[in-house]
Amino acid sequence: MFGFIKEKLTKIYSQFSSKTAALFSRNTINQQFLDELAQLLITADTGVETTNTIIKNLTQQIQDKKIASPQEVKKELERQLISRLKAYPCKEKKPTVLLLVGINGSGKTTFAGKLAKQLTKNATVLLVAGDTFRAAATQQLLEWGKKIGVDVFIGKEQQDPASVIFDACKKFKTERYDHLIIDTAGRLQTKTNLMKELEKMRRIIDKQLPDKTIHTWLTVDSMLGQNSFEQAKIFNEATTLTGLVLTKLDGTGKGGIVFSITNELHLPIIYVTFGEDLGAIKPFDANEYIGDLL
C-alpha cells in the first residue's frame, strides 16, 4: 500500500533510508552505532524525547536478548515503531460527523474533498465550509464539490462560523445525508479566538446531533516537523481530537513527528495524503508505513 513513499519521497529515501540501510549493514553494535541511529531518528523529525525513549528501550532489549546483529536491532526498532503507532487504534475511518481542524495550509480542505470522494461510492455527503474568513477556502471546497458531485453548504463571508454549522446541521438532518464533513479555519495567530470558536462549534454540533458520534481529526503537515507537535497540542486544548491525518507526504516531510504526537496526545493516525489528485489518499497502515520507511 505504501509503495508510493518510495516513488514520491526520493529526497527522504536518499537522506534517511539509505543511511539507515548503511547503518544496519554493519557487523557490530556499539555506542557509536546507537548514537548514529538516534541522530537519524531525530533528523526524521521523531523528536528528542521520543528518540531517547526508543534508544533506551533498544539498549535494554540488546542487553536482555543478547542481540549482537544490527539486523536484529533493525527488527526490534521496527517492532517498537509499529507498536507506538498501533498503541491507539483507529475507531472509525468513515465517521458520520467529522470536524476537520488544522492550521491554514495544512491540507484540511483538500483532505475533505478526497475523503468525500471515497465516501460517495455508497453514501451521501454534505461538505460544510466552516472557514468564513477566507474566501479562497470556501471557493476551493466548492470546486471539490463540483468535481465529485457533492453538496457544499456555505455561509456568508465573515459570518459567524458557528451559525453556519448550526444551519448545516439542520440541513444534514432534514435531508438525511449519511456523512457530514466540516472544514474549519486554522488561524493560530489568534489562538484564543480560535479555541473559543472551535469550542462553540462543538457545542452546537453536540446539541444539534445528540445521537451522532462526532469525530475531530487534525491535519498534520508532514513537512513542518516539530512545529506540528506544538500545533497539535493547541488544537487538542481547543477541541478534543480523536485522530490525525498526515498530509503532504509527497514533499520533503519525513513524518516522524507522528510518533511524538501519537504517544504524547494518545491519538491514532487515520489517513495519509500524498498529492493533489483526488485518489491520493490512503488509510494509514503502521506495518506497511514502517516497513517502507526502513
Side-chain angles (χ1 to χ4, degrees), residues 264-292:
E264 297 197 37
L265 298 184
H266 302 172
L267 295 170
I269 307 169
I270 318 294
Y271 282 94
V272 295
T273 68
F274 45 93
E276 290 296 324
D277 185 78
L278 272 171
I281 174 177
K282 288 182 181 294
F284 182 77
D285 184 290
N287 292 74
E288 290 177 291
Y289 183 75
I290 298 303
D292 280 348

PDB file of all heavy atoms in Angstrom, residues 264-292:
ATOM      1  N   GLU A 264       2.257  11.196  22.856  1.00  0.00           N
ATOM      2  CA  GLU A 264       2.030  12.189  23.900  1.00  0.00           C
ATOM      3  C   GLU A 264       0.584  12.662  23.959  1.00  0.00           C
ATOM      4  O   GLU A 264       0.106  13.061  25.021  1.00  0.00           O
ATOM      5  CB  GLU A 264       2.980  13.367  23.712  1.00  0.00           C
ATOM      6  CG  GLU A 264       4.454  12.950  23.853  1.00  0.00           C
ATOM      7  CD  GLU A 264       5.367  14.122  24.087  1.00  0.00           C
ATOM      8  OE1 GLU A 264       4.967  15.061  24.797  1.00  0.00           O
ATOM      9  OE2 GLU A 264       6.491  14.094  23.557  1.00  0.00           O
ATOM     10  N   LEU A 265      -0.128  12.618  22.833  1.00  0.00           N
ATOM     11  CA  LEU A 265      -1.524  13.018  22.831  1.00  0.00           C
ATOM     12  C   LEU A 265      -2.470  11.821  22.725  1.00  0.00           C
ATOM     13  O   LEU A 265      -3.686  11.981  22.730  1.00  0.00           O
ATOM     14  CB  LEU A 265      -1.800  13.992  21.672  1.00  0.00           C
ATOM     15  CG  LEU A 265      -1.041  15.314  21.720  1.00  0.00           C
ATOM     16  CD1 LEU A 265      -1.479  16.217  20.584  1.00  0.00           C
ATOM     17  CD2 LEU A 265      -1.232  16.018  23.049  1.00  0.00           C
ATOM     18  N   HIS A 266      -1.895  10.616  22.616  1.00  0.00           N
ATOM     19  CA  HIS A 266      -2.677   9.371  22.591  1.00  0.00           C
ATOM     20  C   HIS A 266      -3.678   9.352  21.432  1.00  0.00           C
ATOM     21  O   HIS A 266      -4.872   9.086  21.617  1.00  0.00           O
ATOM     22  CB  HIS A 266      -3.422   9.167  23.920  1.00  0.00           C
ATOM     23  CG  HIS A 266      -2.510   9.131  25.102  1.00  0.00           C
ATOM     24  ND1 HIS A 266      -2.971   9.124  26.393  1.00  0.00           N
ATOM     25  CD2 HIS A 266      -1.155   9.119  25.196  1.00  0.00           C
ATOM     26  CE1 HIS A 266      -1.941   9.100  27.238  1.00  0.00           C
ATOM     27  NE2 HIS A 266      -0.829   9.093  26.510  1.00  0.00           N
ATOM     28  N   LEU A 267      -3.167   9.628  20.233  1.00  0.00           N
ATOM     29  CA  LEU A 267      -4.027   9.722  19.055  1.00  0.00           C
ATOM     30  C   LEU A 267      -3.585   8.774  17.950  1.00  0.00           C
ATOM     31  O   LEU A 267      -2.393   8.596  17.725  1.00  0.00           O
ATOM     32  CB  LEU A 267      -4.015  11.152  18.507  1.00  0.00           C
ATOM     33  CG  LEU A 267      -4.615  12.235  19.400  1.00  0.00           C
ATOM     34  CD1 LEU A 267      -4.308  13.605  18.825  1.00  0.00           C
ATOM     35  CD2 LEU A 267      -6.121  12.037  19.525  1.00  0.00           C
ATOM     36  N   PRO A 268      -4.538   8.187  17.237  1.00  0.00           N
ATOM     37  CA  PRO A 268      -4.193   7.331  16.089  1.00  0.00           C
ATOM     38  C   PRO A 268      -4.069   8.142  14.810  1.00  0.00           C
ATOM     39  O   PRO A 268      -4.646   9.233  14.695  1.00  0.00           O
ATOM     40  CB  PRO A 268      -5.396   6.392  16.002  1.00  0.00           C
ATOM     41  CG  PRO A 268      -6.543   7.262  16.429  1.00  0.00           C
ATOM     42  CD  PRO A 268      -5.983   8.166  17.521  1.00  0.00           C
ATOM     43  N   ILE A 269      -3.290   7.625  13.854  1.00  0.00           N
ATOM     44  CA  ILE A 269      -3.246   8.207  12.510  1.00  0.00           C
ATOM     45  C   ILE A 269      -4.309   7.482  11.686  1.00  0.00           C
ATOM     46  O   ILE A 269      -4.316   6.251  11.625  1.00  0.00           O
ATOM     47  CB  ILE A 269      -1.870   8.020  11.859  1.00  0.00           C
ATOM     48  CG1 ILE A 269      -0.772   8.534  12.788  1.00  0.00           C
ATOM     49  CG2 ILE A 269      -1.813   8.749  10.528  1.00  0.00           C
ATOM     50  CD1 ILE A 269       0.611   8.146  12.345  1.00  0.00           C
ATOM     51  N   ILE A 270      -5.185   8.240  11.049  1.00  0.00           N
ATOM     52  CA  ILE A 270      -6.299   7.629  10.314  1.00  0.00           C
ATOM     53  C   ILE A 270      -5.983   7.490   8.824  1.00  0.00           C
ATOM     54  O   ILE A 270      -6.141   6.438   8.235  1.00  0.00           O
ATOM     55  CB  ILE A 270      -7.591   8.456  10.472  1.00  0.00           C
ATOM     56  CG1 ILE A 270      -7.766   8.929  11.908  1.00  0.00           C
ATOM     57  CG2 ILE A 270      -8.792   7.631  10.007  1.00  0.00           C
ATOM     58  CD1 ILE A 270      -7.992   7.856  12.924  1.00  0.00           C
ATOM     59  N   TYR A 271      -5.537   8.590   8.217  1.00  0.00           N
ATOM     60  CA  TYR A 271      -5.250   8.612   6.780  1.00  0.00           C
ATOM     61  C   TYR A 271      -3.919   9.311   6.511  1.00  0.00           C
ATOM     62  O   TYR A 271      -3.421  10.067   7.348  1.00  0.00           O
ATOM     63  CB  TYR A 271      -6.338   9.378   6.011  1.00  0.00           C
ATOM     64  CG  TYR A 271      -7.620   8.624   5.784  1.00  0.00           C
ATOM     65  CD1 TYR A 271      -8.693   8.756   6.661  1.00  0.00           C
ATOM     66  CD2 TYR A 271      -7.778   7.784   4.677  1.00  0.00           C
ATOM     67  CE1 TYR A 271      -9.881   8.071   6.450  1.00  0.00           C
ATOM     68  CE2 TYR A 271      -8.958   7.102   4.454  1.00  0.00           C
ATOM     69  CZ  TYR A 271     -10.008   7.248   5.347  1.00  0.00           C
ATOM     70  OH  TYR A 271     -11.181   6.568   5.133  1.00  0.00           O
ATOM     71  N   VAL A 272      -3.373   9.066   5.314  1.00  0.00           N
ATOM     72  CA  VAL A 272      -2.261   9.855   4.792  1.00  0.00           C
ATOM     73  C   VAL A 272      -2.649  10.343   3.404  1.00  0.00           C
ATOM     74  O   VAL A 272      -3.398   9.675   2.688  1.00  0.00           O
ATOM     75  CB  VAL A 272      -0.945   9.038   4.703  1.00  0.00           C
ATOM     76  CG1 VAL A 272      -0.472   8.640   6.083  1.00  0.00           C
ATOM     77  CG2 VAL A 272      -1.106   7.819   3.821  1.00  0.00           C
ATOM     78  N   THR A 273      -2.155  11.537   3.033  1.00  0.00           N
ATOM     79  CA  THR A 273      -2.361  12.040   1.681  1.00  0.00           C
ATOM     80  C   THR A 273      -1.006  12.376   1.090  1.00  0.00           C
ATOM     81  O   THR A 273      -0.066  12.689   1.814  1.00  0.00           O
ATOM     82  CB  THR A 273      -3.259  13.296   1.657  1.00  0.00           C
ATOM     83  OG1 THR A 273      -2.569  14.398   2.262  1.00  0.00           O
ATOM     84  CG2 THR A 273      -4.562  13.052   2.395  1.00  0.00           C
ATOM     85  N   PHE A 274      -0.908  12.316  -0.250  1.00  0.00           N
ATOM     86  CA  PHE A 274       0.413  12.440  -0.873  1.00  0.00           C
ATOM     87  C   PHE A 274       0.338  13.069  -2.248  1.00  0.00           C
ATOM     88  O   PHE A 274       1.084  12.714  -3.143  1.00  0.00           O
ATOM     89  CB  PHE A 274       1.065  11.059  -0.968  1.00  0.00           C
ATOM     90  CG  PHE A 274       0.142   9.971  -1.459  1.00  0.00           C
ATOM     91  CD1 PHE A 274       0.073   9.633  -2.798  1.00  0.00           C
ATOM     92  CD2 PHE A 274      -0.677   9.300  -0.570  1.00  0.00           C
ATOM     93  CE1 PHE A 274      -0.789   8.649  -3.254  1.00  0.00           C
ATOM     94  CE2 PHE A 274      -1.534   8.286  -1.011  1.00  0.00           C
ATOM     95  CZ  PHE A 274      -1.597   7.961  -2.355  1.00  0.00           C
ATOM     96  N   GLY A 275      -0.543  14.055  -2.423  1.00  0.00           N
ATOM     97  CA  GLY A 275      -0.638  14.744  -3.697  1.00  0.00           C
ATOM     98  C   GLY A 275      -1.984  15.429  -3.835  1.00  0.00           C
ATOM     99  O   GLY A 275      -2.866  15.292  -2.983  1.00  0.00           O
ATOM    100  N   GLU A 276      -2.157  16.175  -4.923  1.00  0.00           N
ATOM    101  CA  GLU A 276      -3.386  16.925  -5.145  1.00  0.00           C
ATOM    102  C   GLU A 276      -4.475  16.089  -5.809  1.00  0.00           C
ATOM    103  O   GLU A 276      -5.646  16.437  -5.755  1.00  0.00           O
ATOM    104  CB  GLU A 276      -3.089  18.154  -6.020  1.00  0.00           C
ATOM    105  CG  GLU A 276      -2.275  19.230  -5.315  1.00  0.00           C
ATOM    106  CD  GLU A 276      -3.023  19.843  -4.142  1.00  0.00           C
ATOM    107  OE1 GLU A 276      -4.253  20.009  -4.225  1.00  0.00           O
ATOM    108  OE2 GLU A 276      -2.371  20.147  -3.123  1.00  0.00           O
ATOM    109  N   ASP A 277      -4.099  14.970  -6.433  1.00  0.00           N
ATOM    110  CA  ASP A 277      -5.076  14.146  -7.124  1.00  0.00           C
ATOM    111  C   ASP A 277      -6.116  13.619  -6.144  1.00  0.00           C
ATOM    112  O   ASP A 277      -5.808  13.312  -4.988  1.00  0.00           O
ATOM    113  CB  ASP A 277      -4.372  12.979  -7.824  1.00  0.00           C
ATOM    114  CG  ASP A 277      -5.334  12.160  -8.654  1.00  0.00           C
ATOM    115  OD1 ASP A 277      -5.685  12.611  -9.757  1.00  0.00           O
ATOM    116  OD2 ASP A 277      -5.736  11.073  -8.189  1.00  0.00           O
ATOM    117  N   LEU A 278      -7.351  13.489  -6.591  1.00  0.00           N
ATOM    118  CA  LEU A 278      -8.441  13.023  -5.731  1.00  0.00           C
ATOM    119  C   LEU A 278      -8.168  11.649  -5.128  1.00  0.00           C
ATOM    120  O   LEU A 278      -8.605  11.346  -4.024  1.00  0.00           O
ATOM    121  CB  LEU A 278      -9.759  12.979  -6.521  1.00  0.00           C
ATOM    122  CG  LEU A 278     -10.578  14.267  -6.531  1.00  0.00           C
ATOM    123  CD1 LEU A 278     -11.726  14.143  -7.521  1.00  0.00           C
ATOM    124  CD2 LEU A 278     -11.118  14.574  -5.148  1.00  0.00           C
ATOM    125  N   GLY A 279      -7.429  10.830  -5.866  1.00  0.00           N
ATOM    126  CA  GLY A 279      -7.164   9.479  -5.379  1.00  0.00           C
ATOM    127  C   GLY A 279      -5.926   9.367  -4.507  1.00  0.00           C
ATOM    128  O   GLY A 279      -5.596   8.275  -4.034  1.00  0.00           O
ATOM    129  N   ALA A 280      -5.254  10.490  -4.255  1.00  0.00           N
ATOM    130  CA  ALA A 280      -4.003  10.464  -3.480  1.00  0.00           C
ATOM    131  C   ALA A 280      -4.285  10.477  -1.983  1.00  0.00           C
ATOM    132  O   ALA A 280      -3.924  11.406  -1.263  1.00  0.00           O
ATOM    133  CB  ALA A 280      -3.113  11.635  -3.870  1.00  0.00           C
ATOM    134  N   ILE A 281      -4.937   9.428  -1.526  1.00  0.00           N
ATOM    135  CA  ILE A 281      -5.305   9.286  -0.122  1.00  0.00           C
ATOM    136  C   ILE A 281      -5.362   7.795   0.205  1.00  0.00           C
ATOM    137  O   ILE A 281      -5.819   6.991  -0.623  1.00  0.00           O
ATOM    138  CB  ILE A 281      -6.673   9.946   0.157  1.00  0.00           C
ATOM    139  CG1 ILE A 281      -7.148   9.666   1.593  1.00  0.00           C
ATOM    140  CG2 ILE A 281      -7.705   9.503  -0.846  1.00  0.00           C
ATOM    141  CD1 ILE A 281      -8.459  10.352   1.952  1.00  0.00           C
ATOM    142  N   LYS A 282      -4.869   7.403   1.378  1.00  0.00           N
ATOM    143  CA  LYS A 282      -4.913   6.007   1.789  1.00  0.00           C
ATOM    144  C   LYS A 282      -5.129   5.914   3.299  1.00  0.00           C
ATOM    145  O   LYS A 282      -4.610   6.742   4.053  1.00  0.00           O
ATOM    146  CB  LYS A 282      -3.614   5.277   1.429  1.00  0.00           C
ATOM    147  CG  LYS A 282      -3.420   5.011  -0.058  1.00  0.00           C
ATOM    148  CD  LYS A 282      -2.137   4.232  -0.297  1.00  0.00           C
ATOM    149  CE  LYS A 282      -1.926   3.991  -1.791  1.00  0.00           C
ATOM    150  NZ  LYS A 282      -2.963   3.097  -2.351  1.00  0.00           N
ATOM    151  N   PRO A 283      -5.876   4.892   3.746  1.00  0.00           N
ATOM    152  CA  PRO A 283      -5.952   4.639   5.186  1.00  0.00           C
ATOM    153  C   PRO A 283      -4.555   4.296   5.688  1.00  0.00           C
ATOM    154  O   PRO A 283      -3.785   3.635   4.998  1.00  0.00           O
ATOM    155  CB  PRO A 283      -6.892   3.435   5.299  1.00  0.00           C
ATOM    156  CG  PRO A 283      -7.685   3.460   4.032  1.00  0.00           C
ATOM    157  CD  PRO A 283      -6.741   3.973   2.984  1.00  0.00           C
ATOM    158  N   PHE A 284      -4.233   4.736   6.864  1.00  0.00           N
ATOM    159  CA  PHE A 284      -2.896   4.510   7.411  1.00  0.00           C
ATOM    160  C   PHE A 284      -2.739   3.073   7.870  1.00  0.00           C
ATOM    161  O   PHE A 284      -3.625   2.497   8.502  1.00  0.00           O
ATOM    162  CB  PHE A 284      -2.647   5.453   8.587  1.00  0.00           C
ATOM    163  CG  PHE A 284      -1.274   5.316   9.176  1.00  0.00           C
ATOM    164  CD1 PHE A 284      -0.176   5.860   8.540  1.00  0.00           C
ATOM    165  CD2 PHE A 284      -1.074   4.623  10.364  1.00  0.00           C
ATOM    166  CE1 PHE A 284       1.102   5.736   9.067  1.00  0.00           C
ATOM    167  CE2 PHE A 284       0.192   4.496  10.904  1.00  0.00           C
ATOM    168  CZ  PHE A 284       1.283   5.046  10.257  1.00  0.00           C
ATOM    169  N   ASP A 285      -1.581   2.472   7.548  1.00  0.00           N
ATOM    170  CA  ASP A 285      -1.250   1.125   7.985  1.00  0.00           C
ATOM    171  C   ASP A 285       0.152   1.154   8.564  1.00  0.00           C
ATOM    172  O   ASP A 285       1.130   1.378   7.848  1.00  0.00           O
ATOM    173  CB  ASP A 285      -1.321   0.147   6.816  1.00  0.00           C
ATOM    174  CG  ASP A 285      -1.066  -1.293   7.251  1.00  0.00           C
ATOM    175  OD1 ASP A 285       0.093  -1.603   7.608  1.00  0.00           O
ATOM    176  OD2 ASP A 285      -2.011  -2.100   7.249  1.00  0.00           O
ATOM    177  N   ALA A 286       0.265   0.958   9.873  1.00  0.00           N
ATOM    178  CA  ALA A 286       1.549   1.098  10.571  1.00  0.00           C
ATOM    179  C   ALA A 286       2.601   0.119  10.057  1.00  0.00           C
ATOM    180  O   ALA A 286       3.762   0.492   9.862  1.00  0.00           O
ATOM    181  CB  ALA A 286       1.351   0.922  12.068  1.00  0.00           C
ATOM    182  N   ASN A 287       2.220  -1.129   9.833  1.00  0.00           N
ATOM    183  CA  ASN A 287       3.189  -2.145   9.384  1.00  0.00           C
ATOM    184  C   ASN A 287       3.810  -1.764   8.056  1.00  0.00           C
ATOM    185  O   ASN A 287       5.045  -1.814   7.893  1.00  0.00           O
ATOM    186  CB  ASN A 287       2.512  -3.512   9.268  1.00  0.00           C
ATOM    187  CG  ASN A 287       2.103  -4.071  10.607  1.00  0.00           C
ATOM    188  OD1 ASN A 287       1.129  -3.610  11.214  1.00  0.00           O
ATOM    189  ND2 ASN A 287       2.830  -5.034  11.108  1.00  0.00           N
ATOM    190  N   GLU A 288       2.973  -1.378   7.100  1.00  0.00           N
ATOM    191  CA  GLU A 288       3.483  -1.054   5.768  1.00  0.00           C
ATOM    192  C   GLU A 288       4.248   0.272   5.780  1.00  0.00           C
ATOM    193  O   GLU A 288       5.276   0.406   5.090  1.00  0.00           O
ATOM    194  CB  GLU A 288       2.314  -0.985   4.786  1.00  0.00           C
ATOM    195  CG  GLU A 288       1.719  -2.365   4.511  1.00  0.00           C
ATOM    196  CD  GLU A 288       0.513  -2.288   3.579  1.00  0.00           C
ATOM    197  OE1 GLU A 288      -0.512  -1.769   4.010  1.00  0.00           O
ATOM    198  OE2 GLU A 288       0.644  -2.746   2.434  1.00  0.00           O
ATOM    199  N   TYR A 289       3.786   1.217   6.562  1.00  0.00           N
ATOM    200  CA  TYR A 289       4.462   2.510   6.648  1.00  0.00           C
ATOM    201  C   TYR A 289       5.880   2.356   7.173  1.00  0.00           C
ATOM    202  O   TYR A 289       6.845   2.838   6.575  1.00  0.00           O
ATOM    203  CB  TYR A 289       3.656   3.438   7.547  1.00  0.00           C
ATOM    204  CG  TYR A 289       4.222   4.830   7.658  1.00  0.00           C
ATOM    205  CD1 TYR A 289       4.088   5.733   6.603  1.00  0.00           C
ATOM    206  CD2 TYR A 289       4.879   5.253   8.808  1.00  0.00           C
ATOM    207  CE1 TYR A 289       4.589   7.017   6.700  1.00  0.00           C
ATOM    208  CE2 TYR A 289       5.390   6.538   8.919  1.00  0.00           C
ATOM    209  CZ  TYR A 289       5.234   7.426   7.853  1.00  0.00           C
ATOM    210  OH  TYR A 289       5.756   8.677   7.962  1.00  0.00           O
ATOM    211  N   ILE A 290       6.033   1.650   8.284  1.00  0.00           N
ATOM    212  CA  ILE A 290       7.358   1.455   8.881  1.00  0.00           C
ATOM    213  C   ILE A 290       8.219   0.547   8.018  1.00  0.00           C
ATOM    214  O   ILE A 290       9.419   0.770   7.842  1.00  0.00           O
ATOM    215  CB  ILE A 290       7.238   0.862  10.305  1.00  0.00           C
ATOM    216  CG1 ILE A 290       6.487   1.841  11.211  1.00  0.00           C
ATOM    217  CG2 ILE A 290       8.618   0.561  10.881  1.00  0.00           C
ATOM    218  CD1 ILE A 290       7.104   3.202  11.310  1.00  0.00           C
ATOM    219  N   GLY A 291       7.602  -0.481   7.433  1.00  0.00           N
ATOM    220  CA  GLY A 291       8.347  -1.384   6.558  1.00  0.00           C
ATOM    221  C   GLY A 291       8.971  -0.664   5.390  1.00  0.00           C
ATOM    222  O   GLY A 291      10.143  -0.879   5.042  1.00  0.00           O
ATOM    223  N   ASP A 292       8.194   0.242   4.766  1.00  0.00           N
ATOM    224  CA  ASP A 292       8.703   1.004   3.634  1.00  0.00           C
ATOM    225  C   ASP A 292       9.716   2.050   4.070  1.00  0.00           C
ATOM    226  O   ASP A 292      10.729   2.277   3.405  1.00  0.00           O
ATOM    227  CB  ASP A 292       7.559   1.695   2.896  1.00  0.00           C
ATOM    228  CG  ASP A 292       6.830   0.748   1.956  1.00  0.00           C
ATOM    229  OD1 ASP A 292       7.357  -0.352   1.733  1.00  0.00           O
ATOM    230  OD2 ASP A 292       5.762   1.114   1.449  1.00  0.00           O
TER     231      ASP A 292
END
